[in-house]
Amino acid sequence: EPLQFEQSIEKLSSSAPQDSSFRHIHIKLEEHEPTSLSTKELILKKAKEACKWNHQIVITFFLKLLPVLEWLPRYRIKEQLLGDVISGLLVGIVAIPQSISYSLLASQDPIYGLYTNFFCSVIYFVTATSRHNAVGSFGVLCLMIGETVNRQLNLAGYGDGNSGSPSLMNSTLPSNWTAICDRSCYAITVAISLTFLVGLYQILLGVFQLGFIAVYLSEPLLSGFVTGASLTILTSQMKYLLGLKIPRKEGVGSLILTWVEIFRYIQKTNICDLVTSLIALAIIVPVKEINVRYKDKLKAPFPVELLVVIAGTLFSYYFKFEKQYNSAICGSIPTGFQKPTIPDPHLFSSLAVDAVPIAIIGFATTVSLAEIFAKKHGYTVRANQEMIAIGMCNLVPSFFHCFASSAALAKTLLKESTGCHTQISGLITSGVLLLVLLWISPLFYSLQISILGVITIANLRGGLRKFADTPSMWRLSKVDTVVWWVTMLASSLISTEIGLLVGVCFALLCIIFRTQRPRATLLGKVNDTEIYEDQFTYKQLSSITNVKIFRFDSSLYYANKSYFRSSLYQKTGVNPSLVAAKQRKAQSKTKANLGIQKDSTAVAIPPIDMHTLVIDCGAMQFLDTVGLSVLKEMRHDYRKIGIQVLLANCNPSIRRLLQDGGWEIETGNGELAFHSVHDAVQFAESQYQEQHKDSEEVGAAFVDNEVQNIAEGPNMETAL
């Protein structure tokens, strides 16, 4: 049978206007019949649906898995092609130098960065629901990949900069490693194995619809993480700008240790690299700022990075920077594609944990950017399909010498601002990269590494600018600002992976602390309305005589039960245990003074300025068994001193728990909970008036009886 609830509705009796009492009409509210299936029935239903295969289901399955089959036939060439071609060309031009520079960040050869951006653009074109995301190498992910790769290189016995065979001492290479490959070969082997796991994790998250994990990465947390990672990237690139050959520091405190090494070897700075870096910075940063400031007036941003790369390559080649000044250059970059390879399964056990934060950051960035631009342009994206898409962009390319990728904010903004309509733009970008891979890449032989470091640092401006946003963030939310600073400091001073974990844990602790000590207040009534608001926030609110209305702005559960009880006693000014103790003490004292053992009518009871306590449960999302016990104990304690407790604004789940927990039965008046504070207040006032009226009638009858006894007294004496 459906659960039934009773709510008393008070109406002023129109038949007797001189009578101020209320009459109560109880209305039974019935819930709908439960339609939810049991766990067993739900599993059987899903299994039956999965086993039903027909022509239409197969078509729908492939349309969802490959969204390109759905939107490509409806592609409007005349309206959309020009914008897609222009944006694709511009993103491709920007992607060329970034692909090469981010390869250094991931501890890989430049060719692998070009592979990564090419393959992921093609696969995302087929599998994505977002029309504007630009995928490819992302600075934060490249940093995390580089840290993992360098750690595995050190474990395998490769020293920093050692391009030959690994040292057999302290080496952890698999016993079946038949062919000894050099440092570059082992680095890409680690990277593709890591990328395979990242893609596998992301696909599984999408298939099992576990995208809710991303909700724990709040915007302040992600912003602080990106800023902390930006500081680490900036530090790691400084040695290239100065031309220093120092080992890359990994692990806890790598940022500080790297700066210590930089200042230790600062006298060995390569002047040619330093001058080149300063000139490149002086050109790239101002032009990028001009592109941002006048983006509405410019038809397309000026490709300053590509021009600096071309100019730097020419100067390095004709003035022989490598031979004359010992400048580090990219070296030989092969053309074409290498044979596909299989990720090394022997590395999976040592890389499984490292792949988790990379997978989470990758899909969180991709999904958030997809949703932002979808909302801006009025279309929808499927978050789970986006996770599968970016997972495919990592899983499949891992067989083609690629490292992990995700959507990149800078390239996505460029893509959207230059007229992109669909992922045809991504296909054009991959075409530009294909030209570089097939014919142009050898021309970058003489490109200085310092220029690549400058390009990487110049692209950190967005993350570093977040420092300027912290004052306004502090004014809006101090808790979010603290989360930002904790995550940023942990990501930069400890490590990126630990920093992300610290940020998530600290953010969750902040949420727990907020629910453990929420705001608690008393409510007052807005005159001539049924609105009740915080007495400590708003002025000109009237208090209800002898009725206290208490609101607790959080769910009531085991972690905040003590705070609920203490704040309730503090706000109402009535601690039932103390009042009951005072009553017992006064009763005992009166009995001792008067010598009365049973009659307690003459006891001086401490006055209490309320007869009803109304608890506004509107902010309570849930109530656990501990919270229910607290409410029942509190009601029992208040009842001892003559105060009734009423609940208001309870949601259906709390009502159900109250009924199952025996609240309605123990109340005794047939009331489970009221649907509004005003209903509870009216009920309390009407009940008090009825009790007061009954007391007056009893008192009047007692007086009349005493008067009659006094009047009959002399006659009885005469008769006697």
Side-chain angles (χ1 to χ4, degrees):
E1 294 182 1
L3 299 176
Q4 297 180 347
F5 300 122
E6 296 181 357
Q7 177 190 16
S8 62
I9 301 178
E10 299 78 15
K11 295 182 178 180
L12 186 62
S13 176
S14 58
S15 61
Q18 71 279 4
D19 187 2
S20 60
S21 62
F22 293 84
R23 62 185 179 88
H24 308 283
I25 300 176
H26 298 281
I27 298 179
K28 296 182 178 180
L29 302 180
E30 296 185 356
E31 288 187 351
H32 292 290
E33 292 288 345
T35 56
S36 59
L37 301 175
S38 64
T39 305
K40 181 179 179 181
E41 292 173 341
L42 183 61
I43 293 175
L44 291 176
K45 181 181 178 182
K46 294 293 184 181
K48 290 179 180 179
E49 292 178 354
C51 293
K52 290 181 180 179
W53 284 92
N54 54 43
H55 179 71
Q56 187 61 36
I57 292 178
V58 172
I59 293 177
T60 304
F61 172 77
F62 280 104
L63 288 177
K64 288 184 176 180
L65 182 63
L66 305 173
V68 67
L69 300 177
E70 184 177 359
W71 62 263
L72 188 59
R74 301 196 303 266
Y75 187 78
R76 301 188 300 272
I77 297 178
K78 293 182 179 180
E79 300 176 12
Q80 298 176 333
L81 183 60
L82 180 61
D84 285 340
V85 170
I86 293 175
S87 63
L89 289 174
L90 292 174
V91 173
I93 291 171
V94 171
I96 295 171
Q98 288 188 4
S99 301
I100 300 174
S101 61
Y102 283 164
S103 298
L104 294 178
L105 196 57
S107 298
Q108 303 299 325
D109 292 342
I111 188 64
Y112 300 127
L114 295 171
Y115 287 162
T116 298
N117 283 267
F118 169 76
F119 280 105
C120 69
S121 296
V122 174
I123 295 173
Y124 196 74
F125 160 77
V126 176
T127 57
T129 59
S130 172
R131 304 175 190 173
H132 296 88
N133 267 2
V135 295
S137 51
F138 180 42
V140 175
L141 293 189
C142 290
L143 172 67
M144 301 171 74
I145 294 168
E147 291 177 345
T148 302
V149 168
N150 276 275
R151 184 163 55 249
Q152 293 298 323
L153 287 173
N154 292 331
L155 291 175
Y158 292 96
D160 191 83
N162 179 18
S163 60
S165 301
S167 172
L168 296 180
M169 297 180 62
N170 302 323
S171 177
T172 59
L173 286 175
S175 57
N176 63 344
W177 192 271
T178 55
I180 299 295
C181 66
D182 60 10
R183 189 177 190 276
S184 174
C185 171
Y186 191 70
I188 190 59
T189 301
V190 173
I192 63 175
S193 302
L194 178 66
T195 302
F196 177 86
L197 292 177
V198 169
L200 182 62
Y201 290 166
Q202 291 171 336
I203 292 174
L204 291 177
L205 289 172
V207 170
F208 293 104
Q209 300 184 1
L210 299 177
F212 67 89
I213 297 176
V215 303
Y216 296 104
L217 303 178
S218 64
E219 184 177 348
L221 188 150
L222 279 176
S223 176
F225 174 76
V226 170
T227 303
S230 298
L231 291 176
T232 305
I233 295 172
L234 172 65
T235 301
S236 67
Q237 299 301 298
M238 285 302 298
K239 67 178 183 180
Y240 300 123
L241 271 66
L242 300 175
L244 298 177
K245 294 179 174 58
I246 58 177
R248 181 169 178 171
K249 300 296 181 180
E250 305 295 337
V252 178
S254 59
L255 183 140
I256 297 176
L257 294 175
T258 301
W259 281 107
V260 170
E261 290 294 311
I262 289 174
F263 285 108
R264 178 181 297 176
Y265 296 100
I266 194 70
Q267 70 276 6
K268 297 182 179 180
T269 299
N270 189 305
I271 302 301
C272 179
D273 287 338
L274 177 60
V275 173
T276 304
S277 301
L278 293 176
I279 294 174
L281 275 174
I283 296 173
I284 293 177
V285 173
V287 174
K288 278 183 157 296
E289 291 296 327
I290 293 173
N291 286 338
V292 173
R293 179 168 297 184
Y294 299 101
K295 62 181 180 180
D296 296 332
K297 297 181 179 180
L298 296 173
K299 293 183 178 180
F302 189 74
V304 61
E305 293 172 327
L306 182 61
L307 294 181
V308 168
V309 166
I310 295 174
T313 303
L314 293 175
F315 274 97
S316 176
Y317 175 76
Y318 284 108
F319 291 97
K320 298 180 173 54
F321 285 169
E322 181 190 14
K323 294 182 179 179
Q324 303 221 353
Y325 304 104
N326 198 26
S327 291
I329 59 175
C330 289
S332 177
I333 302 178
T335 58
F337 295 94
Q338 300 182 16
K339 293 181 179 180
T341 186
I342 299 176
D344 186 5
H346 297 91
L347 293 172
F348 288 168
S349 59
S350 58
L351 298 176
V353 176
D354 295 317
V356 173
I358 299 176
I360 293 175
I361 293 296
F363 86 73
T365 304
T366 303
V367 172
S368 61
L369 286 176
E371 291 178 344
I372 288 172
F373 289 100
K375 181 179 179 181
K376 180 178 179 180
H377 291 274
Y379 65 93
T380 58
V381 294
R382 300 198 307 270
N384 289 318
Q385 178 60 32
E386 284 298 313
M387 283 190 288
I388 295 175
I390 197 62
M392 294 295 291
C393 289
N394 289 317
L395 184 71
V396 176
S398 66
F399 295 92
F400 297 93
H401 301 87
C402 301
F403 49 83
S405 61
S406 72
L409 176 60
K411 287 185 287 189
T412 302
L413 287 172
L414 173 62
K415 187 175 182 178
E416 186 266 343
S417 63
T418 52
C420 170
H421 296 287
T422 67
Q423 283 299 331
I424 290 289
S425 173
L427 206 59
I428 301 298
T429 299
S430 62
V432 174
L433 294 171
L434 182 62
L435 292 176
V436 176
L437 285 169
L438 295 180
W439 294 290
I440 303 176
S441 57
L443 299 179
F444 296 114
Y445 177 90
S446 300
L447 176 62
Q448 288 176 274
I449 299 295
S450 59
I451 291 182
L452 298 179
V454 169
I455 293 174
T456 301
I457 292 176
N459 285 288
L460 301 176
R461 295 173 302 118
L464 299 177
R465 277 202 188 102
K466 298 296 181 180
F467 283 105
D469 298 336
T470 53
S472 59
M473 189 191 305
W474 177 263
R475 289 190 295 269
L476 291 175
S477 174
K478 294 178 174 57
V479 175
D480 287 346
T481 309
V482 174
V483 170
W484 187 92
W485 277 102
V486 169
T487 308
M488 186 276 296
L489 292 174
S491 301
S492 57
L493 299 180
I494 303 177
S495 69
T496 51
E497 296 89 349
I498 297 177
L500 180 62
L501 179 61
V502 169
V504 172
C505 294
F506 185 77
L508 293 177
L509 286 177
C510 288
I511 295 174
I512 295 173
F513 181 77
R514 283 179 171 182
T515 60
Q516 193 171 356
R517 299 184 65 85
R519 180 177 176 81
T521 185
L522 291 181
L523 303 184
K525 183 181 179 182
V526 180
N527 294 328
D528 301 325
T529 67
E530 298 180 2
I531 300 173
Y532 295 81
E533 282 296 346
D534 185 359
Q535 288 184 341
F536 301 98
T537 302
Y538 300 101
K539 299 178 180 179
Q540 300 176 350
L541 298 180
S542 59
S543 300
I544 309 300
T545 305
N546 295 328
V547 177
K548 295 291 179 67
I549 308 169
F550 177 75
R551 182 167 68 192
F552 192 68
D553 289 340
S554 175
S555 300
L556 180 57
Y557 65 111
Y558 67 94
N560 60 14
K561 63 174 183 177
S562 300
Y563 181 75
F564 172 82
R565 192 180 281 115
S566 61
S567 59
L568 174 62
Y569 297 160
Q570 179 186 2
K571 297 296 182 182
T572 59
V574 178
N575 187 329
S577 300
L578 297 179
V579 173
K582 290 180 180 179
Q583 289 180 350
R584 289 192 298 268
K585 184 177 180 181
Q587 183 178 355
S588 301
K589 186 176 181 181
T590 303
K591 288 181 179 181
N593 293 337
L594 300 179
I596 300 175
Q597 299 299 326
K598 295 183 179 180
D599 188 9
S600 59
T601 57
V603 175
I605 300 175
I608 303 175
D609 63 347
M610 70 172 177
H611 57 73
T612 301
L613 171 63
V614 179
I615 299 179
D616 182 6
C617 304
M620 294 184 184
Q621 296 180 355
F622 66 89
L623 188 72
D624 66 355
T625 55
V626 177
L628 178 61
S629 299
V630 169
L631 288 178
K632 294 168 71 173
E633 292 173 5
M634 176 204 62
R635 182 189 58 192
H636 179 266
D637 293 340
Y638 274 108
R639 183 184 292 172
K640 280 185 177 181
I641 60 174
I643 298 176
Q644 69 172 343
V645 177
L646 305 177
L647 304 181
N649 286 332
C650 297
N651 62 46
S653 63
I654 293 181
R655 284 175 169 271
R656 192 172 295 110
L657 181 62
L658 291 173
Q659 188 181 49
D660 294 341
W663 177 275
E664 182 178 9
I665 299 174
E666 296 180 17
T667 301
N669 57 8
E671 302 301 331
L672 179 65
F674 294 88
H675 291 282
S676 70
V677 173
H678 188 66
D679 288 340
V681 171
Q682 282 192 328
F683 174 80
E685 289 182 328
S686 64
Q687 191 178 49
Y688 177 74
Q689 289 176 6
E690 289 179 359
Q691 293 176 353
H692 187 65
K693 180 181 177 181
D694 293 340
S695 299
E696 289 180 348
E697 291 177 355
V698 172
F702 177 77
V703 171
D704 291 341
N705 188 30
E706 289 295 325
V707 171
Q708 184 178 0
N709 289 337
I710 293 173
E712 294 177 354
N715 295 331
M716 294 182 64
E717 291 178 358
T718 304
L720 291 173

